[in-house]
Amino acid sequence: MSIKHPDICPCQNAKYANCCGVYHSGKHAETAEKLMRSRYSAYVLELDDYLLSTWHHTTRPTEPLFDGQKTQWLELKVIKHQASNDQQTATVEFLAIYKINGKAHRLHEISQFVFEDNQWFYVDGVFPEIK
């Protein structure tokens, strides 16, 4: 069974095949921001294998990522991307708008990433209050 992919990438950056699709197909993201965008798109497309493979082994969840509740992801806004001077860690602040059962929600996260074995990994995030 083949998976149907969108024409426009869920991260709203470009055509899917030229954007997050290349990372979902096996290429490693060159920056933490590109990894974060590809992970957002993977949530939209429910690509749990990709999400788990890009999650740092020290914080990777063991429970299922998708519980059958349908989430409608609407928009991604990258607020800030900052890499450390040695390019081994980075933070990406973003805001994602989504709906569950018709009710709108906002996810505001400052995500931590680490570069190991020539690959970026998501470590964890904090959720500042939205003002």
Side-chain angles (χ1 to χ4, degrees), residues 44-127:
V44 173
L45 300 171
E46 296 188 357
L47 302 176
D48 55 350
D49 287 344
Y50 180 79
L51 290 165
L52 293 171
S53 71
T54 58
W55 212 310
H56 195 264
H57 67 91
T58 61
T59 57
R60 186 180 302 135
T62 56
E63 67 277 354
L65 297 177
F66 302 102
D67 59 7
Q69 183 170 277
K70 188 64 181 160
T71 301
Q72 180 186 6
W73 294 95
L74 303 173
E75 184 179 2
L76 173 67
K77 293 180 183 177
V78 175
I79 299 167
K80 183 178 182 182
H81 169 238
Q82 184 171 5
S84 62
N85 288 339
D86 64 3
Q87 302 293 309
Q88 298 302 298
T89 61
T91 59
V92 179
E93 182 176 2
F94 69 91
L95 181 66
I97 312 296
Y98 63 100
K99 285 185 180 180
I100 296 177
N101 295 326
K103 183 176 180 192
H105 302 273
R106 300 166 96 182
L107 171 65
H108 182 194
E109 182 173 335
I110 301 172
S111 301
Q112 304 296 319
F113 295 86
V114 65
F115 191 73
E116 289 181 358
D117 301 323
N118 294 312
Q119 181 178 349
W120 283 102
F121 291 95
Y122 169 78
V123 178
D124 60 15
V126 295
F127 307 96

Coordinates of all heavy atoms in Angstrom, one line a residue, residues 44-127:
V44 N 1.7 15.9 11.1 CA 0.5 16.1 10.2 C 0.2 14.8 9.5 O -1.0 14.4 9.4 CB 0.8 17.2 9.2 CG1 -0.3 17.3 8.2 CG2 0.9 18.6 10.0
L45 N 1.2 14.1 9.0 CA 1.1 12.9 8.2 C 1.1 11.6 9.0 O 0.9 10.5 8.4 CB 2.2 12.9 7.1 CG 2.2 14.0 6.2 CD1 3.4 14.0 5.3 CD2 0.9 14.1 5.3
E46 N 1.2 11.8 10.3 CA 1.2 10.6 11.3 C 2.3 9.6 10.9 O 2.1 8.4 10.8 CB -0.1 10.0 11.4 CG -1.1 10.9 12.0 CD -2.5 10.3 12.4 OE1 -2.7 9.1 12.1 OE2 -3.3 11.0 12.9
L47 N 3.5 10.1 10.7 CA 4.7 9.3 10.3 C 5.5 8.9 11.6 O 6.5 9.5 11.9 CB 5.6 10.0 9.3 CG 4.9 10.4 8.0 CD1 5.9 11.2 7.2 CD2 4.4 9.2 7.3
D48 N 4.9 8.0 12.4 CA 5.5 7.8 13.7 C 6.9 7.2 13.6 O 7.8 7.5 14.5 CB 4.6 6.9 14.6 CG 4.2 5.6 13.9 OD1 4.4 5.4 12.7 OD2 3.6 4.8 14.7
D49 N 7.2 6.4 12.6 CA 8.6 5.8 12.5 C 9.6 7.0 12.3 O 10.7 6.9 12.9 CB 8.7 4.9 11.3 CG 8.0 3.5 11.6 OD1 7.7 3.2 12.7 OD2 7.7 2.8 10.6
Y50 N 9.2 8.0 11.5 CA 10.1 9.1 11.3 C 10.3 9.9 12.6 O 11.4 10.3 13.0 CB 9.6 10.0 10.2 CG 10.5 11.2 10.0 CD1 11.7 11.1 9.2 CD2 10.3 12.5 10.5 CE1 12.6 12.1 9.0 CE2 11.1 13.5 10.3 CZ 12.3 13.4 9.6 OH 13.1 14.4 9.4
L51 N 9.2 10.1 13.3 CA 9.3 10.9 14.5 C 10.2 10.2 15.5 O 11.0 10.8 16.2 CB 7.9 11.1 15.1 CG 7.0 12.1 14.3 CD1 5.6 12.0 14.7 CD2 7.6 13.5 14.4
L52 N 10.0 8.9 15.7 CA 10.8 8.2 16.7 C 12.3 8.1 16.2 O 13.2 8.2 17.1 CB 10.2 6.8 16.9 CG 8.9 6.7 17.5 CD1 8.3 5.3 17.5 CD2 8.9 7.3 19.0
S53 N 12.6 8.0 15.0 CA 13.9 7.9 14.5 C 14.7 9.2 14.6 O 15.9 9.2 14.7 CB 14.0 7.4 13.1 OG 13.6 8.4 12.2
T54 N 14.0 10.3 14.7 CA 14.6 11.6 14.8 C 14.5 12.2 16.3 O 14.9 13.3 16.5 CB 14.0 12.7 13.9 OG1 12.6 12.8 14.1 CG2 14.2 12.3 12.4
W55 N 14.1 11.3 17.2 CA 13.9 11.7 18.6 C 15.2 11.1 19.3 O 15.5 10.0 19.1 CB 12.7 11.0 19.2 CG 12.0 11.8 20.3 CD1 12.6 12.3 21.4 CD2 10.6 12.0 20.4 NE1 11.6 12.9 22.2 CE2 10.4 12.7 21.6 CE3 9.5 11.7 19.5 CZ2 9.1 13.1 22.0 CZ3 8.3 12.2 20.0 CH2 8.1 12.8 21.1
H56 N 15.9 11.9 20.1 CA 17.1 11.5 20.8 C 16.7 10.3 21.7 O 15.7 10.3 22.4 CB 17.7 12.6 21.6 CG 19.1 12.3 22.0 ND1 19.4 11.8 23.3 CD2 20.2 12.5 21.4 CE1 20.7 11.7 23.3 NE2 21.2 12.1 22.2
H57 N 17.6 9.3 21.7 CA 17.3 8.0 22.4 C 17.1 8.2 23.9 O 16.5 7.4 24.5 CB 18.5 7.0 22.1 CG 19.8 7.4 22.7 ND1 20.2 7.1 24.0 CD2 20.8 8.2 22.2 CE1 21.4 7.6 24.3 NE2 21.8 8.3 23.2
T58 N 17.7 9.3 24.5 CA 17.5 9.5 25.9 C 16.1 10.1 26.3 O 15.8 10.0 27.5 CB 18.6 10.5 26.4 OG1 18.4 11.8 25.8 CG2 20.0 10.0 26.2
T59 N 15.4 10.6 25.4 CA 14.1 11.2 25.7 C 13.0 10.6 24.8 O 11.8 11.0 24.9 CB 14.1 12.7 25.5 OG1 14.5 13.0 24.2 CG2 15.0 13.4 26.5
R60 N 13.3 9.6 24.0 CA 12.3 9.0 23.0 C 11.2 8.3 23.8 O 11.5 7.5 24.7 CB 13.0 8.0 22.1 CG 12.2 7.4 21.0 CD 12.9 6.5 20.2 NE 14.1 7.1 19.6 CZ 15.3 6.6 19.6 NH1 15.6 5.4 20.1 NH2 16.3 7.2 19.0
P61 N 9.9 8.6 23.5 CA 8.9 7.9 24.2 C 8.7 6.4 23.9 O 9.2 6.0 22.8 CB 7.6 8.7 23.8 CG 8.0 9.3 22.5 CD 9.5 9.5 22.5
T62 N 8.2 5.7 24.8 CA 8.0 4.3 24.5 C 6.5 4.0 24.2 O 6.2 2.9 23.6 CB 8.4 3.4 25.7 OG1 7.7 3.9 26.9 CG2 9.9 3.5 25.9
E63 N 5.6 4.9 24.5 CA 4.2 4.7 24.3 C 3.9 5.2 22.8 O 4.6 6.0 22.2 CB 3.3 5.5 25.3 CG 3.4 7.0 25.2 CD 4.6 7.6 26.0 OE1 5.3 6.9 26.6 OE2 4.8 8.8 25.8
P64 N 2.7 4.7 22.3 CA 2.4 5.1 20.9 C 2.2 6.6 20.8 O 1.7 7.3 21.8 CB 1.0 4.4 20.7 CG 1.0 3.3 21.7 CD 1.8 3.8 22.9
L65 N 2.6 7.2 19.7 CA 2.5 8.6 19.5 C 1.1 9.1 19.1 O 0.7 10.2 19.4 CB 3.5 9.1 18.4 CG 4.9 8.9 18.7 CD1 5.8 9.3 17.6 CD2 5.3 9.6 20.0
F66 N 0.3 8.2 18.4 CA -1.0 8.6 18.0 C -2.0 7.7 18.6 O -1.9 6.5 18.6 CB -1.0 8.5 16.4 CG 0.0 9.4 15.8 CD1 1.1 8.8 15.3 CD2 -0.2 10.7 15.7 CE1 2.1 9.6 14.7 CE2 0.7 11.6 15.1 CZ 1.9 11.0 14.6
D67 N -3.0 8.3 19.2 CA -4.0 7.6 20.0 C -5.3 7.4 19.3 O -6.3 7.0 19.9 CB -4.2 8.3 21.3 CG -4.7 9.7 21.2 OD1 -5.0 10.1 20.0 OD2 -4.9 10.4 22.2
G68 N -5.4 7.7 18.0 CA -6.6 7.5 17.2 C -7.4 8.8 17.2 O -8.4 8.9 16.4
Q69 N -7.1 9.7 18.0 CA -7.8 11.0 18.0 C -7.3 11.9 16.9 O -6.1 12.1 16.8 CB -7.6 11.7 19.4 CG -8.4 13.0 19.5 CD -8.4 13.6 20.9 OE1 -9.1 13.1 21.7 NE2 -7.4 14.5 21.2
K70 N -8.2 12.3 16.0 CA -7.7 13.0 14.8 C -7.4 14.4 15.1 O -8.3 15.2 15.6 CB -8.8 12.9 13.7 CG -8.3 13.4 12.4 CD -7.2 12.6 11.8 CE -6.7 13.2 10.5 NZ -5.4 12.8 10.1
T71 N -6.2 14.8 14.8 CA -5.8 16.2 15.0 C -5.7 16.9 13.6 O -5.1 16.3 12.7 CB -4.4 16.3 15.6 OG1 -4.5 15.6 16.9 CG2 -3.9 17.7 15.8
Q72 N -6.3 18.0 13.5 CA -6.2 18.8 12.2 C -5.2 19.9 12.4 O -5.4 20.9 13.1 CB -7.6 19.4 11.8 CG -7.6 20.2 10.6 CD -8.9 20.9 10.3 OE1 -9.8 20.9 11.1 NE2 -9.0 21.5 9.1
W73 N -4.0 19.7 11.8 CA -2.9 20.7 11.9 C -3.2 21.8 10.9 O -3.4 21.5 9.7 CB -1.6 20.0 11.7 CG -1.2 19.1 12.8 CD1 -1.5 17.7 12.8 CD2 -0.7 19.4 14.1 NE1 -1.1 17.2 14.0 CE2 -0.6 18.2 14.8 CE3 -0.2 20.6 14.7 CZ2 0.0 18.1 16.1 CZ3 0.3 20.5 15.9 CH2 0.4 19.3 16.6
L74 N -3.1 23.1 11.3 CA -3.5 24.2 10.5 C -2.4 25.0 10.0 O -2.4 25.5 8.9 CB -4.6 25.0 11.2 CG -5.8 24.3 11.6 CD1 -6.7 25.2 12.5 CD2 -6.6 23.8 10.4
E75 N -1.4 25.3 10.9 CA -0.4 26.3 10.6 C 0.9 26.1 11.4 O 0.7 25.8 12.6 CB -0.9 27.7 10.7 CG 0.0 28.8 10.3 CD -0.6 30.2 10.5 OE1 -1.8 30.3 11.0 OE2 0.1 31.1 10.1
L76 N 2.0 26.4 10.9 CA 3.3 26.4 11.6 C 3.9 27.7 11.4 O 4.0 28.2 10.3 CB 4.2 25.3 11.1 CG 5.6 25.3 11.6 CD1 5.6 24.9 13.1 CD2 6.5 24.3 10.9
K77 N 4.4 28.3 12.5 CA 5.1 29.6 12.5 C 6.4 29.3 13.2 O 6.4 29.1 14.4 CB 4.3 30.7 13.1 CG 3.1 31.1 12.4 CD 2.4 32.2 13.1 CE 1.1 32.6 12.4 NZ 0.4 33.6 13.2
V78 N 7.5 29.4 12.5 CA 8.8 29.4 13.2 C 9.1 30.8 13.7 O 9.2 31.7 12.9 CB 9.9 28.9 12.3 CG1 11.3 28.9 13.0 CG2 9.6 27.5 11.8
I79 N 9.4 30.9 15.0 CA 9.6 32.2 15.6 C 11.1 32.5 15.7 O 11.5 33.6 15.4 CB 9.0 32.2 17.0 CG1 7.5 32.0 16.9 CG2 9.4 33.5 17.8 CD1 6.8 31.8 18.3
K80 N 11.9 31.5 16.0 CA 13.3 31.7 16.2 C 14.1 30.4 16.1 O 13.7 29.3 16.6 CB 13.6 32.3 17.6 CG 15.0 32.7 17.8 CD 15.1 33.4 19.2 CE 16.5 33.8 19.5 NZ 16.6 34.4 20.9
H81 N 15.2 30.4 15.4 CA 16.2 29.3 15.3 C 17.5 29.8 15.7 O 18.0 30.8 15.2 CB 16.2 28.7 13.9 CG 17.3 27.7 13.7 ND1 18.3 27.9 12.7 CD2 17.6 26.6 14.3 CE1 19.1 26.9 12.8 NE2 18.7 26.1 13.7
Q82 N 18.1 29.1 16.7 CA 19.5 29.5 17.2 C 20.3 28.3 17.4 O 20.0 27.5 18.3 CB 19.3 30.4 18.4 CG 20.7 30.9 18.9 CD 20.5 32.0 20.0 OE1 19.4 32.2 20.5 NE2 21.6 32.6 20.4
A83 N 21.5 28.2 16.7 CA 22.4 27.2 16.9 C 23.5 27.7 17.8 O 23.9 28.8 17.9 CB 23.0 26.7 15.6
S84 N 24.1 26.7 18.6 CA 25.3 27.1 19.4 C 26.5 27.4 18.6 O 26.5 27.1 17.4 CB 25.6 25.9 20.4 OG 26.0 24.8 19.6
N85 N 27.5 28.0 19.1 CA 28.7 28.4 18.4 C 29.3 27.2 17.8 O 29.9 27.3 16.7 CB 29.6 29.2 19.3 CG 29.1 30.6 19.6 OD1 28.3 31.1 18.9 ND2 29.6 31.1 20.7
D86 N 29.3 26.1 18.4 CA 30.0 24.9 17.9 C 29.1 24.1 17.0 O 29.5 23.0 16.5 CB 30.6 24.0 19.0 CG 29.5 23.4 20.0 OD1 28.3 23.7 19.7 OD2 29.9 22.8 20.9
Q87 N 27.8 24.5 16.8 CA 26.9 23.9 15.9 C 26.5 22.4 16.4 O 26.1 21.6 15.6 CB 27.4 23.8 14.5 CG 27.7 25.2 13.9 CD 26.4 26.0 13.7 OE1 25.5 25.6 13.1 NE2 26.5 27.3 14.2
Q88 N 26.6 22.2 17.7 CA 26.3 20.8 18.2 C 25.0 20.8 18.9 O 24.5 19.7 19.2 CB 27.4 20.4 19.1 CG 28.8 20.2 18.5 CD 28.7 19.3 17.3 OE1 28.4 18.1 17.4 NE2 29.0 19.8 16.1
T89 N 24.4 22.0 19.3 CA 23.1 22.0 19.9 C 22.4 23.2 19.2 O 23.0 24.1 18.7 CB 23.2 22.2 21.4 OG1 23.8 23.5 21.7 CG2 23.9 21.1 22.1
A90 N 21.1 23.2 19.3 CA 20.3 24.3 18.8 C 18.9 24.4 19.5 O 18.5 23.4 20.0 CB 20.1 24.2 17.3
T91 N 18.3 25.5 19.4 CA 16.9 25.7 19.8 C 16.1 26.2 18.7 O 16.6 27.0 17.9 CB 16.8 26.6 21.1 OG1 17.3 27.9 20.7 CG2 17.5 26.1 22.3
V92 N 14.8 25.8 18.7 CA 13.9 26.3 17.7 C 12.6 26.6 18.4 O 12.0 25.7 19.0 CB 13.6 25.3 16.5 CG1 12.6 25.8 15.5 CG2 14.9 24.9 15.8
E93 N 12.2 27.8 18.3 CA 10.9 28.2 18.9 C 9.9 28.3 17.8 O 10.1 28.9 16.8 CB 11.1 29.6 19.6 CG 9.8 30.1 20.3 CD 10.0 31.4 21.1 OE1 11.1 32.0 21.0 OE2 9.0 31.8 21.7
F94 N 8.7 27.7 18.1 CA 7.7 27.7 17.1 C 6.3 27.8 17.7 O 6.1 27.5 18.9 CB 7.8 26.5 16.2 CG 7.5 25.2 16.8 CD1 6.2 24.6 16.8 CD2 8.5 24.5 17.5 CE1 5.9 23.5 17.5 CE2 8.2 23.2 18.1 CZ 6.9 22.7 18.1
L95 N 5.3 28.1 16.9 CA 3.9 28.1 17.2 C 3.2 27.2 16.2 O 3.3 27.5 15.0 CB 3.4 29.5 17.3 CG 1.9 29.7 17.7 CD1 1.7 29.3 19.1 CD2 1.5 31.1 17.4
A96 N 2.4 26.2 16.7 CA 1.6 25.4 15.8 C 0.2 25.6 16.2 O -0.2 25.5 17.3 CB 2.1 24.0 15.9
I97 N -0.7 25.8 15.2 CA -2.1 25.9 15.4 C -2.8 24.6 14.9 O -2.5 24.2 13.8 CB -2.7 27.1 14.6 CG1 -1.8 28.4 14.8 CG2 -4.1 27.3 14.9 CD1 -1.8 28.9 16.2
Y98 N -3.7 24.1 15.7 CA -4.3 22.9 15.3 C -5.7 22.8 16.0 O -6.1 23.6 16.8 CB -3.5 21.6 15.8 CG -3.3 21.5 17.3 CD1 -4.1 20.6 18.0 CD2 -2.3 22.2 17.9 CE1 -3.9 20.5 19.4 CE2 -2.1 22.1 19.3 CZ -2.9 21.2 20.0 OH -2.8 21.1 21.4
K99 N -6.5 21.8 15.5 CA -7.9 21.6 16.0 C -8.0 20.2 16.4 O -7.5 19.3 15.7 CB -8.9 22.0 15.0 CG -9.2 23.4 14.7 CD -10.3 23.6 13.8 CE -10.6 25.1 13.5 NZ -11.8 25.3 12.6
I100 N -8.7 19.9 17.5 CA -9.2 18.6 17.9 C -10.7 18.7 18.1 O -11.1 19.6 18.9 CB -8.4 18.1 19.1 CG1 -6.9 17.9 18.8 CG2 -9.0 16.8 19.6 CD1 -6.1 17.5 20.0
N101 N -11.4 17.9 17.5 CA -12.9 17.9 17.6 C -13.5 19.3 17.4 O -14.4 19.8 18.1 CB -13.3 17.4 19.0 CG -13.0 15.9 19.2 OD1 -13.0 15.2 18.2 ND2 -12.6 15.6 20.4
G102 N -12.9 20.0 16.4 CA -13.4 21.3 16.1 C -12.9 22.5 17.0 O -13.2 23.6 16.7
K103 N -12.2 22.2 18.0 CA -11.7 23.2 18.9 C -10.3 23.5 18.6 O -9.4 22.7 18.6 CB -11.9 22.7 20.4 CG -11.4 23.8 21.4 CD -11.6 23.4 22.8 CE -11.2 24.6 23.7 NZ -11.1 24.2 25.1
A104 N -10.0 24.8 18.4 CA -8.7 25.3 18.1 C -7.8 25.3 19.3 O -8.2 25.6 20.4 CB -8.7 26.7 17.5
H105 N -6.5 25.0 19.1 CA -5.5 25.0 20.1 C -4.2 25.6 19.5 O -4.0 25.6 18.3 CB -5.1 23.6 20.6 CG -6.3 22.8 21.1 ND1 -6.7 22.9 22.4 CD2 -7.2 22.0 20.5 CE1 -7.8 22.1 22.6 NE2 -8.1 21.6 21.4
R106 N -3.3 26.0 20.4 CA -2.0 26.6 20.0 C -0.9 25.8 20.8 O -1.0 25.7 22.0 CB -1.9 28.0 20.4 CG -2.9 28.9 19.7 CD -3.0 30.3 20.3 NE -2.1 31.1 19.5 CZ -1.9 32.4 19.7 NH1 -2.4 33.0 20.8 NH2 -1.2 33.1 19.0
L107 N 0.1 25.4 20.1 CA 1.2 24.7 20.7 C 2.4 25.7 20.6 O 2.9 25.9 19.4 CB 1.5 23.4 20.1 CG 2.8 22.7 20.5 CD1 2.8 22.3 22.0 CD2 3.1 21.5 19.7
H108 N 2.9 26.3 21.6 CA 4.0 27.1 21.6 C 5.2 26.4 22.3 O 5.1 26.1 23.5 CB 3.7 28.4 22.3 CG 4.8 29.4 22.3 ND1 4.9 30.5 23.2 CD2 6.0 29.5 21.6 CE1 6.0 31.2 22.9 NE2 6.7 30.6 22.0
E109 N 6.2 26.1 21.6 CA 7.3 25.2 22.1 C 8.7 25.9 21.8 O 8.8 26.4 20.7 CB 7.2 23.8 21.6 CG 8.3 22.9 22.2 CD 8.1 21.4 21.8 OE1 7.0 21.0 21.5 OE2 9.1 20.7 21.7
I110 N 9.6 25.7 22.7 CA 11.0 26.0 22.5 C 11.7 24.6 22.6 O 11.8 24.1 23.6 CB 11.6 27.0 23.5 CG1 10.8 28.3 23.4 CG2 13.1 27.2 23.2 CD1 11.2 29.3 24.5
S111 N 12.0 24.1 21.4 CA 12.6 22.8 21.3 C 14.1 22.8 21.4 O 14.7 23.7 20.8 CB 12.2 22.1 19.9 OG 10.8 22.1 19.8
Q112 N 14.6 21.7 22.0 CA 16.1 21.5 22.1 C 16.5 20.4 21.1 O 15.8 19.4 21.1 CB 16.5 21.1 23.5 CG 16.0 22.1 24.6 CD 16.7 23.5 24.4 OE1 17.8 23.6 24.2 NE2 15.9 24.5 24.6
F113 N 17.6 20.7 20.4 CA 18.1 19.7 19.5 C 19.6 19.5 19.7 O 20.3 20.4 20.2 CB 17.9 20.2 18.0 CG 16.5 20.3 17.6 CD1 15.8 21.5 17.9 CD2 15.9 19.3 17.0 CE1 14.4 21.6 17.5 CE2 14.5 19.4 16.6 CZ 13.8 20.5 16.9
V114 N 20.1 18.3 19.4 CA 21.5 18.0 19.5 C 22.0 17.3 18.2 O 21.2 16.6 17.5 CB 21.8 17.1 20.7 CG1 21.1 15.7 20.5 CG2 23.2 16.9 21.0
F115 N 23.2 17.6 17.8 CA 23.8 17.0 16.6 C 24.8 15.9 17.0 O 25.8 16.2 17.7 CB 24.6 18.1 15.8 CG 25.0 17.7 14.5 CD1 24.1 17.6 13.4 CD2 26.3 17.4 14.2 CE1 24.4 17.2 12.2 CE2 26.7 17.1 12.9 CZ 25.8 16.9 11.9
E116 N 24.4 14.7 16.7 CA 25.2 13.5 17.0 C 25.3 12.6 15.8 O 24.2 12.4 15.2 CB 24.6 12.7 18.2 CG 24.7 13.4 19.5 CD 24.1 12.6 20.7 OE1 23.6 11.5 20.4 OE2 24.2 13.1 21.8
D117 N 26.4 11.9 15.7 CA 26.5 10.9 14.6 C 26.1 11.5 13.2 O 25.4 10.9 12.4 CB 25.7 9.7 14.9 CG 26.2 9.0 16.2 OD1 27.4 9.0 16.4 OD2 25.3 8.5 16.9
N118 N 26.5 12.8 13.0 CA 26.2 13.5 11.7 C 24.7 13.6 11.5 O 24.2 13.6 10.3 CB 26.9 12.8 10.5 CG 28.3 12.9 10.6 OD1 28.9 14.0 10.9 ND2 29.0 11.8 10.4
Q119 N 23.9 13.8 12.5 CA 22.5 13.9 12.4 C 21.9 14.7 13.5 O 22.3 14.6 14.7 CB 21.8 12.5 12.4 CG 20.3 12.5 12.3 CD 19.8 11.1 12.3 OE1 20.5 10.1 12.2 NE2 18.5 11.0 12.3
W120 N 20.9 15.6 13.2 CA 20.2 16.3 14.3 C 19.1 15.4 14.9 O 18.5 14.7 14.2 CB 19.5 17.6 13.7 CG 20.5 18.7 13.4 CD1 21.0 19.0 12.2 CD2 21.1 19.5 14.4 NE1 21.9 20.1 12.4 CE2 21.9 20.4 13.7 CE3 20.9 19.7 15.8 CZ2 22.6 21.4 14.4 CZ3 21.6 20.7 16.4 CH2 22.5 21.5 15.7
F121 N 18.9 15.6 16.2 CA 17.9 14.9 16.9 C 17.1 15.8 17.8 O 17.7 16.7 18.4 CB 18.5 13.8 17.8 CG 19.1 12.6 17.1 CD1 20.5 12.6 16.8 CD2 18.3 11.6 16.7 CE1 21.0 11.5 16.2 CE2 18.9 10.5 16.0 CZ 20.2 10.5 15.8
Y122 N 15.8 15.6 17.9 CA 15.0 16.4 18.8 C 15.2 15.8 20.2 O 15.2 14.5 20.4 CB 13.5 16.2 18.5 CG 12.6 16.7 19.5 CD1 12.3 18.1 19.6 CD2 11.9 15.8 20.3 CE1 11.4 18.6 20.6 CE2 11.0 16.3 21.3 CZ 10.8 17.7 21.4 OH 9.9 18.1 22.4
V123 N 15.5 16.6 21.2 CA 15.7 16.2 22.6 C 14.4 16.4 23.4 O 13.8 15.4 23.9 CB 16.9 16.9 23.2 CG1 17.1 16.4 24.7 CG2 18.2 16.6 22.4
D124 N 14.0 17.6 23.6 CA 12.8 17.9 24.4 C 12.4 19.3 24.1 O 13.1 20.1 23.3 CB 13.0 17.6 25.8 CG 14.1 18.4 26.5 OD1 14.6 19.4 25.9 OD2 14.5 18.1 27.6
G125 N 11.4 19.8 24.8 CA 10.9 21.2 24.6 C 10.3 21.7 25.9 O 9.9 20.9 26.8
V126 N 10.2 23.0 26.0 CA 9.5 23.7 27.0 C 8.4 24.5 26.4 O 8.5 24.8 25.2 CB 10.4 24.6 27.9 CG1 11.5 23.8 28.6 CG2 11.1 25.7 27.0
F127 N 7.4 24.7 27.2 CA 6.2 25.4 26.7 C 5.9 26.7 27.4 O 5.2 26.7 28.4 CB 5.0 24.4 26.8 CG 5.3 23.0 26.2 CD1 5.7 22.0 27.0 CD2 5.1 22.8 24.8 CE1 6.0 20.8 26.4 CE2 5.5 21.6 24.3 CZ 5.9 20.6 25.1

